[in-house]
Structure formats: structure tokens, C-alpha cells
Amino acid sequence: MSRTTGATLYRSLRSHFVIEPREVNLDDSEGTRLRDAVRRGWVFSAVWLIYLIYPVRAVAGYDGPVAWKVAAALSLIAFAAVFLGGFRDFRGRLHASEEVRVPRQWAVVVSLMLLLVPAAPAAGDSVLTGCVFVAVLAVMTLPRRSALVVLAANFVAVEGLPRIVPSWTPDDSAGFTLGVAAFAAWGISQLVARNIQLNEARRRLSDLAVVEERERVARDVHDILGHSLTVITVKAELAGRLLELDPARAAAEIADVESLSRAALADVRSTVGGLRHLRLETELRGVRSAVEAAGMVVHIEGSAAGVDEDCRELFAWAMREAVTNVVRHSKGTECRIRLEPRRITVTDNGVGPQGKSTGTGLRGLSDRADALGATVRAARGSDGGFVLTVTAP
């Protein structure tokens, strides 16, 4: 093996072994992309087998027994086929994020080493070029200790055989070239591992982003529809009771139900699009209508103008959630809302919470409050009923 053959071969193979990170794509084209990647790997591996020209040329010029010449030619053809098949399988599994089968890779490496033996009589010391292929493949595909064993065996071969076989010419740099190529291959294998880890991290981040977006939409839809459908139900029941007693009032309530349903539909659409924002002034008007429709009295202390700007949307969500619970579950007669610059308190005189309050609406409200560093406290009042307090820092 010449001084530069191994290094030149490795530098050429290097571009094939580096696998760039792939974007995660779960559509129908994934299978096609994977097959294309494997197909390209086959072609690239075949291109770099051109460096087997050294032993092939030596076999072509061999003037010994024809049997040795034929055996060498067949072994080199088999060497190329096994090399291509081994890397095709390895690269395909990497692209498919499948586990690399170590026994199969061991079989490939051992087969390559054995296939060099029949070529040795006719190819002479040029057959040692194949040791670089074997060493690089072992370092890339086998566990570290196994790769070191293979590397040591090939090092002994390229350094020892030329000094033992009389017709072979020793090359003092052959072992060094093999070691450098193997070390560089190890570095590239670490790059491949990092690329795979990066690919997995990207996939996990993508999945996490999808989950978070689903949770956001589910939380917002729950908060919006929970309140709107509660008010619609209350007004529809009221309209049913007033239908014979006060038809004009019943018609007004039905008109409100229609208006509320249209508003709820618009809210859902804007929520899914990420454009939903509550206004405290609007919610105050809606709250008064909802509580009065439920036959309760509402007392509001303070105004939206007295609340700090950065707290208004959070307090609007808090008031919407609290009033929804009051109308649904309190069975009380009064609801009080107190607005301060950085605090909102909603109370009622009903039955109060049954056990620990950990509903979906309260969890969603807590998530919104956490984003602003605010705190949410939901508990039974001193004289019964339910108390919800949201305090911004």
C-alpha cells in the first residue's frame, strides 16, 4: 500500500459517511425520501470503491497461475459487493432511526477481512489497501472496543505482513496512515451521533410544540364555550319560563341567545387562530347580563379603568371563569366582584366549593396567571360561598 493511498481514500470516503440532520416530516413522502437517501448512499459507496484500482491493477498484471488470478478477481468483486451491502444497510438504518445490528456489522467486517486473503497471492502488497476500508467501516459501525480490536488486527497486517512476505515492500507510514484514517472516522462517527441526537431533539421539540398548542386551544375553547354555553342555557331556560308570562321579554332573551351563540362561534374561530383577546370592559357587561339572567344580584366594586393595563386581560379571564362557576354551581343569590389595580376578587353566597377546586377552567386560569407571575387562590369564603382571588405582583 502506497504512503498516500489510505489517506486519500479516507478523505474521499469522508463526504459519504457524514449524515446531515433531517427535518422530521410525517407526511406520505417520508418513505420516498428514505428510499432516495438509501439509494444515494449506495451510489456514493460505489464511487469510492475506485480506490480498489490498486489491487485490481496488481491482479491484472499478475503473471502467475491463472487460478490465483481468478480467485483474486472474484474475491475483490465479492469484497466490493459486501462493502456496498454493509454500508447500504448501515446508512439505511441510520436514516430510518432504527437500531444498528452489531452482529450483522461484525459479519460484514469479518467477511471483508477474509475476502482479502484469496486476493493476496495475485495482488501482492496492494491488497493492504482494503485494510483501510475495513478499519474505517469498523470504526463507523461497531462499538468502540470491537472497533479497536479490528483496528489492531489491521494495523498488525499492514505493518507486519510486508516484513514477513519476501516479495512485499514494507511501508513505514502504512500503520500511521491507517491510524489517522481510523481516528478521523471515529471523529465523524461522533458527528453522526450528534446529528442523530439533534434530529431526535428537533422531533421532540416539534412534538412538544404541537402538544402545547393543543393545550392552549383546548384551554381557551373550554374557557370561552364554558362561559358562553352556560349563559345561553340560563337565558334559554328563562325565555322558556317567560314565554307565556311575558312574551316580549322572552323574545328579548331569545335574541340574546342568538347573539351569544354568534359571539361564541366568532370567539372559537379567533381562538383557534391565536387571535383571541378579552377586554375587561366587555366582560363586565357580559357578566352582569349572565348573573342577572340566572336570577342573582351582582355587585361590582371598581371599574375596568382602575385596573392596570397589563392586568386587564388576565382579570377578564378570571372574572369569566369565576362567574361561570357561580352561575353553574353556587346556587346563591348574590355575586360580588371587586376590581383593584392589581387584584380581582369574585365571591358569592352560595354553597361553596366541594373539596379541592382543580377544574379545567381553574388550571387554565392558573397557567395564564403563571405567565404574568400572578397568583390564583380559590377557596371557601368565611361565611360560605366561593372566593376567587387573582393577584398580580
Side-chain angles (χ1 to χ4, degrees):
M1 181 173 62
S2 66
R3 293 175 180 270
T4 59
T5 299
T8 304
L9 169 62
Y10 178 74
R11 285 194 299 271
S12 301
L13 288 170
R14 166 179 199 279
S15 61
H16 160 60
F17 295 138
V18 178
I19 301 175
E20 296 297 332
R22 297 181 299 126
E23 293 294 335
V24 176
N25 185 4
L26 300 180
D27 59 19
D28 294 337
S29 65
E30 180 68 17
T32 302
R33 294 175 63 251
L34 178 58
R35 288 191 294 272
D36 290 344
V38 174
R39 189 178 300 114
R40 288 195 299 270
W42 175 282
V43 173
F44 293 156
S45 298
V47 168
W48 307 125
L49 284 175
I50 191 173
Y51 288 96
L52 286 178
I53 189 64
Y54 297 105
V56 169
R57 187 168 54 188
V59 171
Y62 179 67
D63 55 0
V66 176
W68 285 116
K69 192 170 186 176
V70 173
L74 292 177
S75 66
L76 290 177
I77 293 174
F79 181 92
V82 172
F83 177 82
L84 290 176
F87 259 116
R88 183 177 186 274
D89 178 73
F90 175 69
R91 184 182 178 94
R93 291 183 181 279
L94 285 181
H95 275 281
S97 299
E98 297 180 3
E99 182 180 358
V100 177
R101 298 180 181 178
V102 176
R104 177 178 295 186
Q105 295 306 129
W106 254 117
V108 172
V109 170
V110 172
S111 298
L112 290 177
M113 296 177 67
L114 293 178
L115 286 171
L116 292 177
V117 176
D125 56 5
S126 295
V127 77
L128 296 178
T129 300
C131 292
V132 178
F133 285 90
V134 176
V136 169
L137 186 142
V139 171
M140 292 288 295
T141 64
L142 292 177
R144 186 174 304 177
R145 292 184 179 179
S146 300
L148 288 175
V149 172
V150 176
L151 180 60
N154 282 271
F155 182 84
V156 171
V158 299
E159 286 290 342
L161 289 179
R163 290 171 172 78
I164 297 175
V165 180
S167 61
W168 290 11
T169 303
D171 186 351
D172 294 334
S173 65
F176 176 77
T177 300
L178 183 71
V180 170
F183 181 78
W186 176 81
I188 294 175
S189 69
Q190 298 305 299
L191 177 60
V192 170
R194 299 299 181 271
N195 285 348
I196 294 174
Q197 293 172 1
L198 178 59
N199 203 20
E200 178 65 14
R202 286 180 174 178
R203 185 189 67 79
R204 291 181 180 274
L205 288 174
S206 177
D207 292 344
L208 181 60
V210 171
V211 170
E212 289 181 346
E213 182 63 12
R214 285 175 178 171
E215 290 180 349
R216 181 194 70 81
V217 173
R219 179 193 65 198
D220 289 355
V221 169
H222 170 273
D223 293 346
I224 290 169
L225 289 185
H227 176 80
S228 299
L229 293 180
T230 296
V231 178
I232 289 173
T233 301
V234 170
K235 284 184 171 290
E237 291 176 349
L238 178 60
R241 293 195 300 266
L242 295 174
L243 192 58
E244 294 182 358
L245 300 176
D246 190 348
R249 173 79 183 279
E253 295 296 338
I254 292 298
D256 284 347
V257 168
E258 180 183 0
S259 176
L260 284 170
S261 63
R262 293 182 183 277
L265 179 59
D267 287 345
V268 170
R269 288 173 175 170
S270 61
T271 296
V272 173
L275 303 175
R276 176 60 175 164
H277 298 285
L278 296 188
R279 293 180 58 83
L280 186 56
E281 300 87 344
T282 304
E283 290 304 311
L284 281 172
R285 292 193 295 269
V287 161
R288 184 181 297 277
S289 174
V291 174
E292 291 177 349
M296 302 174 64
V297 178
V298 60
H299 303 281
I300 300 177
E301 301 178 26
S303 64
V307 177
D308 290 350
E309 184 69 29
D310 60 330
C311 300
R312 291 181 184 177
E313 185 171 1
L314 174 62
F315 287 3
W317 284 109
M319 187 166 55
R320 173 179 279 243
E321 172 60 25
V323 170
T324 300
N325 289 332
V326 168
V327 174
R328 279 180 176 176
H329 312 299
S330 73
K331 300 179 182 179
T333 59
E334 292 186 356
C335 175
R336 294 183 177 275
I337 301 172
R338 183 176 182 181
L339 293 170
E340 302 176 59
R342 305 194 70 79
R343 176 181 298 175
I344 181 174
T345 305
V346 182
T347 63
D348 65 75
N349 63 348
V351 297
Q354 304 298 316
K356 187 177 181 180
S357 300
T358 57
T360 303
L362 287 177
R363 286 198 298 270
L365 179 59
S366 296
D367 291 340
R368 299 178 196 278
D370 289 342
L372 296 178
T375 57
V376 177
R377 182 177 180 273
R380 182 185 293 273
S382 58
D383 55 351
F386 186 85
V387 179
L388 176 68
T389 303
V390 178
T391 304

PDB file of all heavy atoms in Angstrom, residues 248-270:
ATOM      1  N   ALA A 248     -92.816  39.342  25.273  1.00  0.00           N
ATOM      2  CA  ALA A 248     -91.847  40.335  24.789  1.00  0.00           C
ATOM      3  C   ALA A 248     -90.487  40.117  25.442  1.00  0.00           C
ATOM      4  O   ALA A 248     -89.430  40.163  24.787  1.00  0.00           O
ATOM      5  CB  ALA A 248     -92.364  41.742  25.070  1.00  0.00           C
ATOM      6  N   ARG A 249     -90.489  39.879  26.753  1.00  0.00           N
ATOM      7  CA  ARG A 249     -89.235  39.617  27.472  1.00  0.00           C
ATOM      8  C   ARG A 249     -88.606  38.296  26.997  1.00  0.00           C
ATOM      9  O   ARG A 249     -87.383  38.197  26.834  1.00  0.00           O
ATOM     10  CB  ARG A 249     -89.525  39.555  28.976  1.00  0.00           C
ATOM     11  CG  ARG A 249     -88.329  39.132  29.825  1.00  0.00           C
ATOM     12  CD  ARG A 249     -87.345  40.248  30.058  1.00  0.00           C
ATOM     13  NE  ARG A 249     -86.201  39.779  30.814  1.00  0.00           N
ATOM     14  CZ  ARG A 249     -86.174  39.623  32.149  1.00  0.00           C
ATOM     15  NH1 ARG A 249     -87.281  39.919  32.863  1.00  0.00           N
ATOM     16  NH2 ARG A 249     -85.086  39.212  32.752  1.00  0.00           N
ATOM     17  N   ALA A 250     -89.461  37.289  26.760  1.00  0.00           N
ATOM     18  CA  ALA A 250     -88.944  36.011  26.255  1.00  0.00           C
ATOM     19  C   ALA A 250     -88.280  36.192  24.898  1.00  0.00           C
ATOM     20  O   ALA A 250     -87.220  35.611  24.612  1.00  0.00           O
ATOM     21  CB  ALA A 250     -90.078  34.991  26.167  1.00  0.00           C
ATOM     22  N   ALA A 251     -88.914  36.997  24.026  1.00  0.00           N
ATOM     23  CA  ALA A 251     -88.322  37.251  22.709  1.00  0.00           C
ATOM     24  C   ALA A 251     -86.981  37.950  22.839  1.00  0.00           C
ATOM     25  O   ALA A 251     -86.023  37.672  22.092  1.00  0.00           O
ATOM     26  CB  ALA A 251     -89.293  38.083  21.868  1.00  0.00           C
ATOM     27  N   ALA A 252     -86.863  38.858  23.807  1.00  0.00           N
ATOM     28  CA  ALA A 252     -85.590  39.561  24.019  1.00  0.00           C
ATOM     29  C   ALA A 252     -84.505  38.593  24.480  1.00  0.00           C
ATOM     30  O   ALA A 252     -83.344  38.677  24.041  1.00  0.00           O
ATOM     31  CB  ALA A 252     -85.775  40.681  25.039  1.00  0.00           C
ATOM     32  N   GLU A 253     -84.894  37.664  25.356  1.00  0.00           N
ATOM     33  CA  GLU A 253     -83.904  36.682  25.834  1.00  0.00           C
ATOM     34  C   GLU A 253     -83.458  35.766  24.698  1.00  0.00           C
ATOM     35  O   GLU A 253     -82.279  35.422  24.593  1.00  0.00           O
ATOM     36  CB  GLU A 253     -84.508  35.861  26.983  1.00  0.00           C
ATOM     37  CG  GLU A 253     -84.821  36.655  28.247  1.00  0.00           C
ATOM     38  CD  GLU A 253     -83.568  37.217  28.884  1.00  0.00           C
ATOM     39  OE1 GLU A 253     -82.466  36.685  28.640  1.00  0.00           O
ATOM     40  OE2 GLU A 253     -83.681  38.219  29.636  1.00  0.00           O
ATOM     41  N   ILE A 254     -84.417  35.360  23.853  1.00  0.00           N
ATOM     42  CA  ILE A 254     -84.057  34.521  22.707  1.00  0.00           C
ATOM     43  C   ILE A 254     -83.120  35.269  21.763  1.00  0.00           C
ATOM     44  O   ILE A 254     -82.178  34.699  21.197  1.00  0.00           O
ATOM     45  CB  ILE A 254     -85.326  34.062  21.962  1.00  0.00           C
ATOM     46  CG1 ILE A 254     -86.133  33.091  22.832  1.00  0.00           C
ATOM     47  CG2 ILE A 254     -84.966  33.400  20.631  1.00  0.00           C
ATOM     48  CD1 ILE A 254     -85.382  31.825  23.179  1.00  0.00           C
ATOM     49  N   ALA A 255     -83.358  36.564  21.597  1.00  0.00           N
ATOM     50  CA  ALA A 255     -82.454  37.375  20.763  1.00  0.00           C
ATOM     51  C   ALA A 255     -81.066  37.406  21.367  1.00  0.00           C
ATOM     52  O   ALA A 255     -80.046  37.342  20.648  1.00  0.00           O
ATOM     53  CB  ALA A 255     -83.016  38.784  20.607  1.00  0.00           C
ATOM     54  N   ASP A 256     -81.007  37.502  22.686  1.00  0.00           N
ATOM     55  CA  ASP A 256     -79.702  37.463  23.358  1.00  0.00           C
ATOM     56  C   ASP A 256     -79.015  36.117  23.140  1.00  0.00           C
ATOM     57  O   ASP A 256     -77.791  36.038  22.971  1.00  0.00           O
ATOM     58  CB  ASP A 256     -79.884  37.718  24.856  1.00  0.00           C
ATOM     59  CG  ASP A 256     -80.152  39.182  25.172  1.00  0.00           C
ATOM     60  OD1 ASP A 256     -79.949  40.019  24.267  1.00  0.00           O
ATOM     61  OD2 ASP A 256     -80.567  39.477  26.316  1.00  0.00           O
ATOM     62  N   VAL A 257     -79.811  35.036  23.201  1.00  0.00           N
ATOM     63  CA  VAL A 257     -79.240  33.703  22.975  1.00  0.00           C
ATOM     64  C   VAL A 257     -78.622  33.621  21.583  1.00  0.00           C
ATOM     65  O   VAL A 257     -77.514  33.105  21.395  1.00  0.00           O
ATOM     66  CB  VAL A 257     -80.327  32.616  23.146  1.00  0.00           C
ATOM     67  CG1 VAL A 257     -79.822  31.261  22.626  1.00  0.00           C
ATOM     68  CG2 VAL A 257     -80.724  32.495  24.604  1.00  0.00           C
ATOM     69  N   GLU A 258     -79.340  34.141  20.580  1.00  0.00           N
ATOM     70  CA  GLU A 258     -78.803  34.138  19.218  1.00  0.00           C
ATOM     71  C   GLU A 258     -77.514  34.946  19.138  1.00  0.00           C
ATOM     72  O   GLU A 258     -76.522  34.519  18.531  1.00  0.00           O
ATOM     73  CB  GLU A 258     -79.833  34.699  18.249  1.00  0.00           C
ATOM     74  CG  GLU A 258     -79.345  34.718  16.806  1.00  0.00           C
ATOM     75  CD  GLU A 258     -80.347  35.353  15.860  1.00  0.00           C
ATOM     76  OE1 GLU A 258     -81.427  35.777  16.339  1.00  0.00           O
ATOM     77  OE2 GLU A 258     -80.041  35.443  14.657  1.00  0.00           O
ATOM     78  N   SER A 259     -77.533  36.127  19.765  1.00  0.00           N
ATOM     79  CA  SER A 259     -76.350  36.986  19.745  1.00  0.00           C
ATOM     80  C   SER A 259     -75.174  36.306  20.444  1.00  0.00           C
ATOM     81  O   SER A 259     -74.030  36.340  19.953  1.00  0.00           O
ATOM     82  CB  SER A 259     -76.667  38.326  20.414  1.00  0.00           C
ATOM     83  OG  SER A 259     -75.516  39.133  20.486  1.00  0.00           O
ATOM     84  N   LEU A 260     -75.462  35.672  21.582  1.00  0.00           N
ATOM     85  CA  LEU A 260     -74.392  34.987  22.326  1.00  0.00           C
ATOM     86  C   LEU A 260     -73.823  33.816  21.531  1.00  0.00           C
ATOM     87  O   LEU A 260     -72.613  33.575  21.546  1.00  0.00           O
ATOM     88  CB  LEU A 260     -74.936  34.505  23.669  1.00  0.00           C
ATOM     89  CG  LEU A 260     -75.130  35.566  24.753  1.00  0.00           C
ATOM     90  CD1 LEU A 260     -75.909  34.981  25.928  1.00  0.00           C
ATOM     91  CD2 LEU A 260     -73.776  36.098  25.229  1.00  0.00           C
ATOM     92  N   SER A 261     -74.678  33.066  20.859  1.00  0.00           N
ATOM     93  CA  SER A 261     -74.186  31.920  20.080  1.00  0.00           C
ATOM     94  C   SER A 261     -73.300  32.379  18.932  1.00  0.00           C
ATOM     95  O   SER A 261     -72.284  31.757  18.631  1.00  0.00           O
ATOM     96  CB  SER A 261     -75.367  31.108  19.547  1.00  0.00           C
ATOM     97  OG  SER A 261     -76.153  31.876  18.655  1.00  0.00           O
ATOM     98  N   ARG A 262     -73.687  33.473  18.283  1.00  0.00           N
ATOM     99  CA  ARG A 262     -72.849  34.003  17.210  1.00  0.00           C
ATOM    100  C   ARG A 262     -71.504  34.499  17.759  1.00  0.00           C
ATOM    101  O   ARG A 262     -70.446  34.275  17.155  1.00  0.00           O
ATOM    102  CB  ARG A 262     -73.567  35.144  16.488  1.00  0.00           C
ATOM    103  CG  ARG A 262     -74.803  34.711  15.707  1.00  0.00           C
ATOM    104  CD  ARG A 262     -75.439  35.895  14.979  1.00  0.00           C
ATOM    105  NE  ARG A 262     -76.649  35.507  14.292  1.00  0.00           N
ATOM    106  CZ  ARG A 262     -76.686  34.950  13.081  1.00  0.00           C
ATOM    107  NH1 ARG A 262     -75.539  34.726  12.438  1.00  0.00           N
ATOM    108  NH2 ARG A 262     -77.836  34.628  12.525  1.00  0.00           N
ATOM    109  N   ALA A 263     -71.568  35.161  18.911  1.00  0.00           N
ATOM    110  CA  ALA A 263     -70.324  35.651  19.518  1.00  0.00           C
ATOM    111  C   ALA A 263     -69.430  34.491  19.925  1.00  0.00           C
ATOM    112  O   ALA A 263     -68.201  34.548  19.782  1.00  0.00           O
ATOM    113  CB  ALA A 263     -70.653  36.531  20.725  1.00  0.00           C
ATOM    114  N   ALA A 264     -70.038  33.415  20.468  1.00  0.00           N
ATOM    115  CA  ALA A 264     -69.248  32.243  20.868  1.00  0.00           C
ATOM    116  C   ALA A 264     -68.567  31.612  19.660  1.00  0.00           C
ATOM    117  O   ALA A 264     -67.408  31.203  19.734  1.00  0.00           O
ATOM    118  CB  ALA A 264     -70.143  31.224  21.568  1.00  0.00           C
ATOM    119  N   LEU A 265     -69.289  31.519  18.534  1.00  0.00           N
ATOM    120  CA  LEU A 265     -68.700  30.968  17.317  1.00  0.00           C
ATOM    121  C   LEU A 265     -67.529  31.818  16.845  1.00  0.00           C
ATOM    122  O   LEU A 265     -66.467  31.295  16.467  1.00  0.00           O
ATOM    123  CB  LEU A 265     -69.773  30.877  16.228  1.00  0.00           C
ATOM    124  CG  LEU A 265     -69.303  30.328  14.875  1.00  0.00           C
ATOM    125  CD1 LEU A 265     -68.743  28.929  15.029  1.00  0.00           C
ATOM    126  CD2 LEU A 265     -70.467  30.352  13.872  1.00  0.00           C
ATOM    127  N   ALA A 266     -67.694  33.126  16.884  1.00  0.00           N
ATOM    128  CA  ALA A 266     -66.598  34.020  16.485  1.00  0.00           C
ATOM    129  C   ALA A 266     -65.410  33.876  17.432  1.00  0.00           C
ATOM    130  O   ALA A 266     -64.245  33.896  17.006  1.00  0.00           O
ATOM    131  CB  ALA A 266     -67.088  35.466  16.460  1.00  0.00           C
ATOM    132  N   ASP A 267     -65.704  33.713  18.727  1.00  0.00           N
ATOM    133  CA  ASP A 267     -64.624  33.551  19.710  1.00  0.00           C
ATOM    134  C   ASP A 267     -63.835  32.274  19.465  1.00  0.00           C
ATOM    135  O   ASP A 267     -62.604  32.245  19.563  1.00  0.00           O
ATOM    136  CB  ASP A 267     -65.197  33.543  21.126  1.00  0.00           C
ATOM    137  CG  ASP A 267     -65.661  34.913  21.575  1.00  0.00           C
ATOM    138  OD1 ASP A 267     -65.268  35.896  20.908  1.00  0.00           O
ATOM    139  OD2 ASP A 267     -66.395  35.000  22.564  1.00  0.00           O
ATOM    140  N   VAL A 268     -64.541  31.202  19.155  1.00  0.00           N
ATOM    141  CA  VAL A 268     -63.862  29.934  18.888  1.00  0.00           C
ATOM    142  C   VAL A 268     -62.966  30.065  17.666  1.00  0.00           C
ATOM    143  O   VAL A 268     -61.821  29.606  17.649  1.00  0.00           O
ATOM    144  CB  VAL A 268     -64.883  28.799  18.692  1.00  0.00           C
ATOM    145  CG1 VAL A 268     -64.196  27.534  18.181  1.00  0.00           C
ATOM    146  CG2 VAL A 268     -65.592  28.503  20.000  1.00  0.00           C
ATOM    147  N   ARG A 269     -63.474  30.702  16.630  1.00  0.00           N
ATOM    148  CA  ARG A 269     -62.656  30.876  15.421  1.00  0.00           C
ATOM    149  C   ARG A 269     -61.402  31.696  15.706  1.00  0.00           C
ATOM    150  O   ARG A 269     -60.304  31.356  15.260  1.00  0.00           O
ATOM    151  CB  ARG A 269     -63.488  31.563  14.342  1.00  0.00           C
ATOM    152  CG  ARG A 269     -64.558  30.656  13.729  1.00  0.00           C
ATOM    153  CD  ARG A 269     -65.465  31.432  12.796  1.00  0.00           C
ATOM    154  NE  ARG A 269     -66.420  30.557  12.122  1.00  0.00           N
ATOM    155  CZ  ARG A 269     -67.443  30.991  11.413  1.00  0.00           C
ATOM    156  NH1 ARG A 269     -67.665  32.301  11.288  1.00  0.00           N
ATOM    157  NH2 ARG A 269     -68.262  30.137  10.832  1.00  0.00           N
ATOM    158  N   SER A 270     -61.553  32.774  16.440  1.00  0.00           N
ATOM    159  CA  SER A 270     -60.387  33.620  16.742  1.00  0.00           C
ATOM    160  C   SER A 270     -59.426  32.908  17.684  1.00  0.00           C
ATOM    161  O   SER A 270     -58.206  33.101  17.604  1.00  0.00           O
ATOM    162  CB  SER A 270     -60.843  34.950  17.357  1.00  0.00           C
ATOM    163  OG  SER A 270     -61.534  34.733  18.578  1.00  0.00           O
TER     164      SER A 270
END
